[in-house]
Amino acid sequence: MSRPAVGYAQLWAADPGAWRAAGAEWAGLTGLVDRRSSALAGHAVTLDGGWSGAAAGAAGSRVTGLASEVTSVAPALIEADQVLAELAARLTAAKGRLAAAVALADASGLSVDREGRVGVDPARVRPSERDGPAAARVSAALRGALELAAAADRTAARRLADLAAAAAAGWQSPPPPGRPAPDADPARVRAWWAGLTPAQRRWLVAHEPALVGGLDGVPVAARDQANRLLLGARRAVLLAERGRLLARLPPGPVDTARLHLLDARLAGLDALAERMGGAAGPRAYLLGLDPAGEGRVVVALGDPDDAERVFTYVPGMTAGLDDAPGELVRAGRVLDRCAELAPGQRSAAVLWLDYDAPDFLHEAVTAEKARDAGPALHRFQDGLRATHDGPPARQTVLGHSYGSLVVGTAARDHGLAADALVFVGSPGVGVGHAADLRVPPGEVWASSAADDVIRLARPPDELARRALTGTSPLAAALGWPGRDGHELWFGRDPADPGFGGRVFPSGRHGHTGYFDADNPALDGMARVVLGR
């Protein structure tokens, strides 16, 4: 059997972070492209204002064409970043498998030399065991790591060669007429996209980024390219709104409150942009962004289309664009724990904040916003399944607080493309039993901290009964005195054994501490994502 193209010493010395940084440098060139394109557009305006006639028209057209040509390079720069980031991720997984193989060798009294050959320590292993089961397992693990690295190298080389060929042949060409509707079935969207040429896809990314960036069923890489191209325009929308508020002199109390919210959204957007431009940690993929209202955003850490394990995290009450950086940190903590527990596997996390989360208690006591979010979450999960490359990934959907009701309601009413559901800090998930969620009960998981105030939320009928019997309104609302049942505001507690799911422990970290590094709940979430 031939040896993999990547050698043991080569993989051991490989630096995935260097490839990740190189990709970020390519993506950073999009700023230069924007500046050059804007400058050319300005020259075209100047020509138009001070020159007339046929020659002026020809010159203006040429300058406008140059600006368009410069702009057309931007998606390719982002694509180069994606290629190198995916190479880095696969090399990281391969190095994890390599380290695990070496650890297995050491535990078995074997050694691995610089060429990747498995040897025997005579003081620990009898010569008769030189070719025994342990040596065979170590050799197979080493070969698997090297083959993964070699496959990653071949894929990256092919994709970069395709980009180089496109630079010579032309980046873009217009696609045929006809576009999917925004709420089209993701499988149909995937089929439509697969029928386009690479040049037609790049044309759509560059000329119709709002369409491409929001279509479930378009591959993650293309959506990320499109939404990154829209970042500047999205920020400009918020700045324009801020300018209109500042123009009102003197601003009233309502204007001042709106200005505060706008500044918070701008800060959140800027923090996300900084995270997406950095080379530290898994690459961020921007899958959706809408600054209107409280703001909505969908961001992945790692490429879900290439990962073996993918989890979608749905946050709860008050979550919006201003909170997105912090919520992304929470998702990242679960992803980091997955990497610690399974360094040889490729996992990806998705922050799904594509719904209008309740801001106030009177909104959070109804399931209306959860019901409204259901179709979009259902479609998004179907899209992840449709665009995934290779064998299907294990998909997990995780909801915290009101987000758990969003997940449960979507699963109950529409079904979710998910292999497992996880609920933490839940006020109830809209069903009375795990079997009503349309996934195997053994893959419905929950955790509730002993000091989580959500455990005190009682169902409305119980509150009315207590109020009628003389319990104070505040005590009734909080469920005091005592916790004499397993019903929460939106149904049976999913962390109760009678719900029919499975439970993992949490420390006393309150309602927001499930993602704390020292909380055993973080391990529990990661193990569900990994399928352990």
Side-chain angles (χ1 to χ4, degrees):
M1 185 180 293
S2 61
R3 295 178 63 82
V6 175
Y8 174 86
Q10 186 181 9
L11 178 57
W12 195 264
D15 180 8
W19 290 110
R20 178 76 177 85
E25 290 290 334
W26 278 104
L29 292 175
T30 56
L32 176 62
V33 167
D34 289 341
R35 293 192 294 274
R36 293 290 185 265
S37 178
S38 296
L40 286 168
H43 292 323
V45 171
T46 301
L47 285 173
D48 186 60
W51 191 12
S52 61
S61 297
R62 179 55 181 153
V63 172
T64 300
L66 285 173
S68 179
E69 289 179 26
V70 169
T71 303
S72 72
V73 178
L77 296 174
I78 301 172
E79 190 173 346
D81 174 32
Q82 293 170 338
V83 171
L84 296 179
E86 290 162 23
L87 172 62
R90 284 178 170 253
L91 287 178
T92 298
K95 286 174 71 70
R97 295 186 186 185
L98 192 70
V102 172
L104 175 62
D106 183 66
S108 305
L110 304 172
S111 63
V112 182
D113 67 17
R114 288 184 57 83
E115 298 300 319
R117 292 185 291 258
V118 180
V120 178
D121 181 353
R124 300 176 62 191
V125 178
R126 294 190 300 273
S128 61
E129 297 177 351
R130 180 184 302 272
D131 297 318
R137 287 196 301 271
V138 171
S139 295
L142 289 172
R143 180 167 294 279
L146 297 179
E147 288 176 347
L148 176 59
D153 182 67
R154 289 192 299 270
T155 298
R158 174 182 55 76
R159 292 182 62 185
L160 291 174
D162 290 344
L163 277 175
W171 292 113
Q172 303 172 8
S173 65
R179 305 287 187 268
D183 59 351
D185 176 64
R188 291 182 177 275
V189 173
R190 184 70 182 96
W192 165 74
W193 188 261
L196 302 172
T197 68
Q200 290 170 339
R201 295 170 191 161
R202 292 192 186 101
W203 188 96
L204 284 166
V205 167
H207 293 272
E208 300 182 29
L211 170 73
V212 174
L215 270 181
D216 295 312
V218 169
V220 164
R223 292 182 68 172
D224 175 61
Q225 294 166 24
N227 285 307
R228 283 175 180 254
L229 294 179
L230 290 169
L231 262 177
R234 301 303 196 210
R235 191 174 192 278
V237 169
L238 294 178
L239 288 174
E241 186 177 351
R242 189 177 191 276
R244 287 192 295 271
L245 286 174
L246 289 174
R248 300 176 185 175
L249 294 175
V254 174
D255 292 336
T256 301
R258 289 180 60 192
L259 187 61
H260 175 75
L261 292 174
L262 270 173
D263 286 342
R265 273 184 283 159
L266 277 166
L269 182 59
D270 289 344
L272 282 176
E274 183 177 356
R275 172 62 182 85
M276 289 187 295
R283 187 186 188 278
Y285 291 76
L286 186 59
L287 307 183
L289 177 64
D290 183 358
E294 299 298 319
R296 301 184 180 198
V297 65
V298 182
V299 185
L301 298 177
D303 182 1
D305 285 350
D306 187 56
E308 298 163 296
R309 306 286 187 270
V310 180
F311 76 92
T312 301
Y313 165 48
V314 183
M317 184 176 170
T318 74
L321 184 55
D322 56 333
D323 298 310
E327 297 292 359
L328 194 61
V329 168
R330 288 180 168 184
R333 287 175 182 166
V334 180
L335 188 63
D336 289 344
R337 190 57 54 90
C338 288
E340 293 169 8
L341 294 172
Q345 292 188 355
R346 302 187 308 281
S347 299
V350 181
L351 167 63
W352 190 85
L353 220 177
D354 195 16
Y355 82 106
D356 183 17
D359 293 314
F360 304 102
L361 189 59
H362 72 272
E363 296 175 324
V365 296
T366 77
E368 179 181 358
K369 291 183 179 291
R371 286 193 296 267
D372 290 346
L377 182 57
H378 163 79
R379 194 166 53 248
F380 179 77
Q381 287 297 121
D382 277 0
L384 289 181
R385 193 71 91 194
T387 60
H388 191 269
D389 295 324
R394 174 178 170 83
Q395 293 190 173
T396 300
V397 186
L398 188 163
H400 172 243
S401 190
Y402 193 88
S404 69
L405 178 64
V406 173
V407 174
T409 301
R412 179 196 69 198
D413 295 347
H414 309 281
L416 288 175
D419 300 289
L421 302 179
V422 181
F423 307 114
V424 293
S426 177
V429 300
V431 300
H433 195 275
D436 299 327
L437 294 169
R438 303 205 220 175
V439 299
E443 289 288 8
V444 175
W445 296 81
S447 186
S448 183
D451 59 345
D452 189 340
V453 296
I454 206 74
R455 295 163 67 100
L456 303 174
R458 313 310 300 156
D461 58 344
E462 182 177 332
L463 298 189
R465 176 178 57 79
R466 291 189 177 189
L468 288 172
T469 57
T471 305
S472 73
L474 177 59
L478 292 176
W480 289 317
R483 186 172 186 267
D484 55 3
H486 306 287
E487 292 294 319
L488 298 176
W489 191 268
F490 294 109
R492 194 175 189 92
D493 183 355
D496 180 75
F499 184 75
R502 301 171 73 180
V503 179
F504 56 88
S506 173
R508 298 180 67 88
H509 289 248
H511 185 59
T512 61
Y514 294 94
F515 301 85
D516 290 351
D518 59 343
N519 193 338
L522 186 63
D523 262 10
M525 290 183 279
R527 291 184 184 279
V528 175
V529 171
L530 294 170
R532 294 189 168 189

